[in-house]
Amino acid sequence: PTLDCNGIWGGYQGEGSKTVIPSKAAAKISCRLVPGQDPRRITKLLLEHIPTLAPKGVKVHAFEHHGGTPLVMDTSSPYFAAATRAVERAFGCPPVFIRTGGSIPIALALKTALSSEIIFLDLGLNEDNLHSPNESFALEDYKRGILVSSYLLEEIGAVGAEI
């Protein structure tokens, strides 16, 4: 898994300087899992290990917020092929497939409950700076994303007619 520090704070945080030694500090972390990893097991291991890293005399209060089981899309699925065609129709070139992480814990639950495929279409570019303070999304890509959605419905309809 990948361990990410999403936020860290402690001590005096107002304007100006202070010469106080902080009595408390905190951090928020997340862990990107890969298929085959059990989020409950990884959480348990982290919650057991993190306190062992603290210096003597420091108390650690580590706890879980939430988690989700990893999911990989079936690239051999006819629905994946439909999504590929929809993207190509809207953008005029085939999509590039990369394996990337995301945090949508309900995805596997939906796939299981509905006995259906889940397809994620990432229409953003690296320069969009996803989840950063200067996140952006080009208006042209937004418009093509609307086209992808309409083409995807057509393509899935065609797959449904074949099945």
Side-chain angles (χ1 to χ4, degrees):
T2 301
L3 197 61
D4 299 316
C5 182
N6 310 115
I8 189 165
W9 61 96
Y12 180 76
Q13 295 187 21
E15 288 192 33
S17 63
K18 294 288 181 188
T19 58
V20 297
I21 297 172
S23 62
K24 292 183 181 182
K28 286 189 178 186
I29 61 169
S30 62
C31 191
R32 301 287 181 161
L33 305 181
V34 298
Q37 289 183 316
D38 178 2
R40 289 165 299 281
R41 179 177 177 272
I42 299 298
T43 298
K44 179 182 179 295
L45 290 171
L46 282 171
L47 292 177
E48 289 172 357
H49 181 65
I50 289 171
T52 69
L53 302 174
K56 186 176 180 176
V58 173
K59 296 178 191 172
V60 174
H61 176 65
F63 58 95
E64 176 185 11
H65 279 282
H66 65 86
T69 303
L71 168 73
V72 172
M73 290 186 289
D74 178 4
T75 57
S76 66
S77 157
Y79 299 104
F80 192 88
T84 300
R85 290 189 300 273
V87 169
E88 189 164 0
R89 285 173 65 187
F91 283 85
C93 61
V96 175
F97 301 112
I98 59 172
R99 192 166 178 176
T100 184
S103 299
I104 308 175
I106 197 169
L108 185 61
L110 286 172
K111 179 178 179 168
T112 303
L114 300 174
S115 298
S116 181
E117 292 300 317
I118 298 290
I119 297 174
F120 293 119
L121 291 173
D122 182 357
L123 302 175
L125 302 173
N126 287 341
E127 63 235 28
D128 293 339
N129 297 317
L130 185 63
H131 300 313
S132 71
N134 62 341
E135 179 177 8
S136 65
F137 190 65
L139 186 56
E140 192 58 37
D141 290 338
Y142 177 78
K143 291 174 183 176
R144 283 188 279 219
I146 293 170
L147 282 175
V148 170
S149 296
S150 63
Y151 292 153
L152 181 59
L153 291 173
E154 287 178 6
E155 295 289 347
I156 287 176
V159 169
E162 294 170 8
I163 293 180

